[in-house]
Structures are given as C-alpha cells and as structure tokens.
Amino acid sequence: MKSCLIVDDSRVIRMVARKIVDELGFEPVEAADGKEALDACQKNMPESILLDWNMPVMSGIEFLREMRKLPGGDKPVVVFCTTENDIEHIQEAIEAGANEYIMKPFDSEIIQAKFAQVGLL
C-alpha cells in the first residue's frame, strides 16, 4: 500500500485528510510540523506528501527543501495544501520541488482530482 505523509499543525485538518487518503487507498502517516515530517521521511520515505505551509518549528517550504536533499527525497509526489494562494507562494513551492498546489479548504473530490493529475491514482 502506498503511504501518504500528511503534514499539518492542525489536528482537525490531519484527521480530515487522513480519512480522505485512506479512502483513496493510501496508508496515512501524520506529522504536526516540518521537523516531525523530516524525521518520518528519514525513517521511511512516503510515496506522497500533503503539505501545509505555515507551521511551527519548521515550515512546509523549509521541510520541502530539506526533504528533497535526502536520499530518495526526489521520489515523493508533494502536494501543498495551504491557505497561501498568491502567485509568489505557488511559484516558490513549485521551484522548491512541489508537484501540485491545493487551496484550503479542500474536500475529497479536490484531493482525488489532484492525486489523479499527478499520477498517484
């Protein structure tokens, strides 16, 4: 089963995302900030990552840059899932190695469509 690392400081967002990715056939793994996510990736690199931007300890963009440097860090499909919706943030995310970008709030249909678009489904 493919794994999906859900990185968000909101427990509620993680819970909602967990239910959605589980229904899509992914094994959900959670992290509350970028540092936790980086630790999780060093132990077991996921196939996909749903990533928030604004988090304590380490932001999503900082995590993404560090994760892409790890062995196998080029493999996960990264979908930013954030309230940051201006072109500068989107461009910065893509340049740092994000594959796609979703605006909050999201629902099952949006995640399913983006996962299909990036070849996860």
Side-chain angles (χ1 to χ4, degrees):
M1 180 182 276
K2 289 182 179 176
S3 60
C4 181
L5 178 59
I6 301 161
V7 189
D8 201 299
D9 56 326
S10 165
R11 192 176 57 78
V12 173
I13 297 287
R14 289 196 314 269
M15 190 174 66
V16 170
R18 178 182 197 98
K19 182 179 183 304
I20 293 169
V21 301
D22 185 50
E23 288 171 356
L24 293 175
F26 289 81
E27 180 186 334
V29 180
E30 295 181 30
D33 60 55
K35 176 74 173 89
E36 267 185 38
L38 203 55
D39 292 345
C41 288
Q42 287 169 331
K43 287 184 191 123
N44 191 12
M45 194 64 73
E47 282 80 12
S48 59
I49 301 172
L50 269 180
L51 181 61
D52 186 24
W53 192 293
N54 299 306
M55 295 178 290
V57 185
M58 179 185 274
S59 72
I61 197 76
E62 291 169 323
F63 157 77
L64 179 58
R65 290 187 177 119
E66 291 304 310
M67 186 273 301
R68 288 295 191 209
K69 294 177 192 172
L70 295 174
D74 59 329
K75 301 277 188 285
V77 173
V78 177
V79 178
F80 256 103
C81 188
T82 181
T83 56
E84 300 294 350
N85 62 2
D86 56 273
I87 193 70
E88 290 82 18
H89 277 91
I90 296 170
Q91 195 168 358
E92 185 178 357
I94 301 300
E95 286 170 4
N99 300 82
E100 239 339 306
Y101 211 91
I102 297 173
M103 303 302 151
K104 285 182 182 173
F106 59 85
D107 62 19
S108 181
E109 283 180 22
I110 292 169
I111 290 183
Q112 188 169 355
K114 286 294 182 183
F115 273 29
Q117 196 176 332
V118 296
L120 288 169
L121 297 177

